[in-house]
Amino acid sequence: MKKLFIVVSALMLLASCGSGKKSENAEEETATPAQALFAQLDSVAKSGRFYFGHHDDTAYGHDWQYVDGNSDVKAVTGEYPGLMSWDLGWIEVDSATNLDGVPFDFIAQEIVKQHARGGVNAIGWHVINPATDTDAWDVSASPLHEMAADSLLSAKMDMWIGKTADFIKSLKDADGNPVPVVFRPWHENSGTWFWWGTGNSTPEEYIDLWKRTRKVFDEKGVDNVLWAYSPDKDLTREQYFSTYPGDEYVDILGADIYHFGGEKGIEEYKARIQNELPYVAEEAAKRGKLAAFTETGLEGLPIDNWYSEVLLPALNDIPLAYVCVWRNAEKNVKPGHFYVPYPGHPAEADFKKFHDSGKALFVK
Ligand code: BMA
């Protein structure tokens, strides 16, 4: 779905849409790729539907890896997910593959293919701790406490951010036009498990990290990005906004909320959604932004009708641009770590029902 030349509405231009550049002539304007993606997501959310998303969808599945055109979602429903999510972790150290073994050139190709199908791509980044060079989960050192005063660390961070910026900027369709993507850095910061999260950064340091990220992207002229902010679960509105970078830095207000505890955890999961996503959607609307359920899922799908009887009712018509579940790791690599059913799994029929509900968008 190419929307490079669509006329955008004045309302849409109220949003910062990636580059923060606003139009003087809002009525008759050629949309930037980021604005076109914003409009695409906005119209879906306003129609009461959402793009269904799946992480690493075409890279590997429950019992396959790197088979051209394969997708567990497609194997079950006949269509690819409307949104594909990818991760740039390890691009910062010039690795050819990301932290889960997915080659960056494969990710770039799949992003272009998904865009050509009329689908959407979202990019996250599990960044290595720059103080220890280990991984994103290493909270033994808190580089953000040092960043402002440590010019070497600061330069290293900027260089790493620059590598993600270069990758995103390089995404072009077959005609050489930029492919717009959702970029969702510094996610789940309200949790304590990442080095940029609570306990390892003050709200000011976290917000400075967003400003730093944006500055590097802007200096490199990257404008094919919608920026997504996505803290975790169990947050009051005040807590959610205590680390919010600001309307000029964010296009999509998200939240990561998983279902834990199988059958017994259903009510807790629904309550967690109802406690957070309605105000996220309300604030997004008020600010001219989009809302999204940026990460969710039930690992191993022990509830056969989870998609139509737990997830869908829990969303309860909250206007969301997309709802993204996590990856289907290959069974020999990480057994039981999957979030959509594969052919033969007992949740298959229900996932088809979810697909046919008309609420969740998939692409051919
Ligand atoms: C986690 C798990 C890990 C993976 C990480 C980053 O939720 O899926 O196996 O390495 O995300 O993708």
Side-chain angles (χ1 to χ4, degrees):
M1 202 188 295
K2 300 205 182 84
K3 295 206 171 178
L4 273 180
F5 303 108
I6 67 166
V7 176
V8 293
S9 71
L11 178 69
M12 196 193 92
L13 284 160
L14 288 173
S16 63
C17 285
S19 68
K21 292 185 190 92
K22 285 172 192 151
S23 169
E24 303 281 313
N25 301 308
E27 292 301 333
E28 295 283 324
E29 183 84 6
T30 302
T32 67
Q35 288 167 335
L37 178 58
F38 187 98
Q40 183 183 345
L41 290 165
D42 193 37
S43 74
V44 162
K46 289 209 166 93
S47 73
R49 296 168 300 162
F50 54 82
Y51 284 97
F52 174 70
H54 187 216
H55 189 67
D56 281 352
D57 184 73
T58 49
Y60 50 80
H62 181 67
D63 52 12
W64 56 273
Q65 283 184 315
Y66 305 100
V67 178
D68 193 31
N70 254 29
S71 150
D72 281 348
V73 168
K74 180 164 167 274
V76 171
T77 68
E79 291 189 298
Y80 292 103
L83 178 140
M84 288 186 193
S85 153
W86 309 99
D87 199 283
L88 297 186
W90 289 13
I91 203 166
E92 62 274 18
V93 290
D94 296 324
S95 171
T97 59
N98 81 358
L99 75 167
D100 295 317
V102 188
F104 290 112
D105 54 9
F106 176 89
I107 295 177
Q109 286 161 17
E110 293 302 303
I111 285 175
V112 172
K113 284 191 204 166
Q114 174 68 353
H115 178 67
R117 290 180 196 115
V120 179
N121 292 281
I123 295 178
W125 189 22
H126 283 88
V127 193
I128 289 171
N129 186 327
T132 59
D133 292 327
T134 48
D135 60 40
W137 293 267
D138 181 3
V139 291
S140 68
S142 311
L144 293 183
H145 291 335
E146 322 298 333
M147 199 86 65
D150 184 334
S151 58
L152 277 180
L153 193 57
S154 171
K156 181 174 178 178
M157 191 73 253
D158 285 353
M159 186 185 68
W160 282 11
I161 295 167
K163 290 177 196 275
T164 65
D166 290 343
F167 177 88
I168 291 173
K169 192 177 180 180
S170 77
L171 298 168
K172 301 270 166 64
D173 69 14
D175 301 325
N177 299 312
V179 174
V181 294
V182 174
F183 185 44
R184 191 173 68 89
W186 318 121
H187 66 299
E188 298 176 7
N189 64 296
S190 58
T192 54
W193 46 88
F194 293 133
W195 59 260
W196 56 87
T198 299
N200 286 278
S201 64
T202 64
E204 294 70 31
E205 287 164 354
Y206 177 78
I207 291 167
D208 281 350
L209 181 63
W210 267 83
K211 293 185 175 165
R212 170 189 293 277
T213 308
R214 183 58 170 273
K215 187 161 177 272
V216 173
F217 272 61
D218 284 352
E219 280 166 7
K220 286 182 175 279
V222 189
D223 64 359
N224 55 325
V225 175
L226 291 181
W227 295 85
Y229 169 69
S230 58
D232 211 73
K233 60 187 176 299
D234 297 339
L235 303 175
T236 63
R237 198 183 292 235
E238 196 188 351
Q239 287 166 333
Y240 183 96
F241 284 101
S242 65
T243 54
Y244 181 62
D247 285 347
E248 63 277 40
Y249 294 96
V250 173
D251 301 296
I252 301 177
L253 274 65
D256 289 12
I257 305 171
Y258 280 83
H259 180 157
F260 298 108
E263 289 279 352
K264 289 200 184 91
I266 292 177
E267 291 315 313
E268 181 185 54
Y269 175 63
K270 287 185 173 173
R272 281 181 160 151
I273 290 177
Q274 283 306 318
N275 166 51
E276 198 159 318
L277 286 179
Y279 76 70
V280 168
E282 186 190 308
E283 292 283 348
K286 205 165 79 187
R287 295 158 191 262
K289 311 289 178 191
L290 300 165
F293 200 177
T294 38
E295 269 187 53
T296 190
L298 171 63
E299 188 184 35
L301 277 178
I303 302 173
D304 292 352
N305 58 5
W306 187 78
Y307 274 95
S308 70
E309 297 298 326
V310 180
L311 178 63
L312 258 191
L315 298 177
N316 195 23
D317 292 330
I318 304 164
L320 298 167
Y322 69 87
V323 175
C324 186
V325 301
W326 209 238
R327 63 200 195 102
N328 274 22
E330 213 264 346
K331 64 178 190 297
N332 299 322
V333 178
K334 206 168 174 179
H337 190 58
F338 60 89
Y339 292 85
V340 299
Y342 47 84
H345 186 277
E348 213 184 334
D350 181 73
F351 191 55
K352 278 188 208 146
K353 196 169 154 193
F354 171 78
H355 167 270
D356 296 343
S357 68
K359 289 271 181 191
L361 289 185
F362 294 69
V363 291
K364 292 275 178 223

